[in-house]
Amino acid sequence: AIRHARGLTLVELLITLAVAMTLLMVGVPVFRSSVANNQVTTATNDLVAHVTLARSEAIKRVTPVTICASTDGVTCSGVNGWETGWIVFTDRDTLGLIDGDDELLRVVGARSGPLTITADAAAMRYMPDGSLDI
């Protein structure tokens, strides 16, 4: 009985590699774009959730609550770039600073990757009635 070897010829292998490379060249940019879009969506949702938290805590605690951009997780940075992170805290004296009997409620660190989050304000303060006092 004669056995024939089974396998791929060199031409078949080269054609398979060419097709695979073409698919990769098309797929990688689409994947990168998808990852970038997911990062933007995640950062947006996270910021919106914390703005909502600041408002609900102000109403619940019957005291002003501030959310502001922060680079160190303890103080407001005073800049409109929120990609470095932000903090949410009770702001009883409405000075925009954590001092005295203010309480730090949340700390959100810097975003990874080349993401820029800018706003018209470096801080937002919600009053006990839920109104915004920028």
Side-chain angles (χ1 to χ4, degrees), residues 37-81:
N37 287 339
N38 286 341
Q39 287 176 336
V40 169
T41 300
T42 300
T44 302
N45 289 341
D46 200 17
L47 182 56
V48 168
H50 284 95
V51 168
T52 303
L53 171 75
R55 183 176 185 272
S56 65
E57 287 294 318
I59 294 168
K60 182 176 83 175
R61 294 170 183 262
V62 192
T63 190
V65 173
T66 296
I67 179 170
C68 65
S70 176
T71 55
D72 60 6
V74 179
T75 59
C76 295
S77 62
V79 297
N80 294 0

Side-chain angles (χ1 to χ4, degrees), residues 11-110:
V11 172
E12 292 171 330
L13 183 59
L14 289 175
I15 290 173
T16 303
L17 285 174
V19 169
M21 290 302 293
T22 303
L23 290 175
L24 280 174
M25 287 173 39
V26 171
V28 168
V30 171
F31 180 72
R32 285 184 183 161
S33 174
S34 176
V35 168
N37 287 339
N38 286 341
Q39 287 176 336
V40 169
T41 300
T42 300
T44 302
N45 289 341
D46 200 17
L47 182 56
V48 168
H50 284 95
V51 168
T52 303
L53 171 75
R55 183 176 185 272
S56 65
E57 287 294 318
I59 294 168
K60 182 176 83 175
R61 294 170 183 262
V62 192
T63 190
V65 173
T66 296
I67 179 170
C68 65
S70 176
T71 55
D72 60 6
V74 179
T75 59
C76 295
S77 62
V79 297
N80 294 0
W82 292 65
E83 66 275 357
T84 58
W86 55 84
I87 55 176
V88 179
F89 61 95
T90 60
D91 194 8
R92 288 174 172 62
D93 54 13
T94 65
L95 293 176
L97 306 168
I98 301 175
D99 58 357
D101 55 355
D102 292 338
E103 179 184 350
L104 187 60
L105 302 174
R106 290 284 159 79
V107 176
V108 178

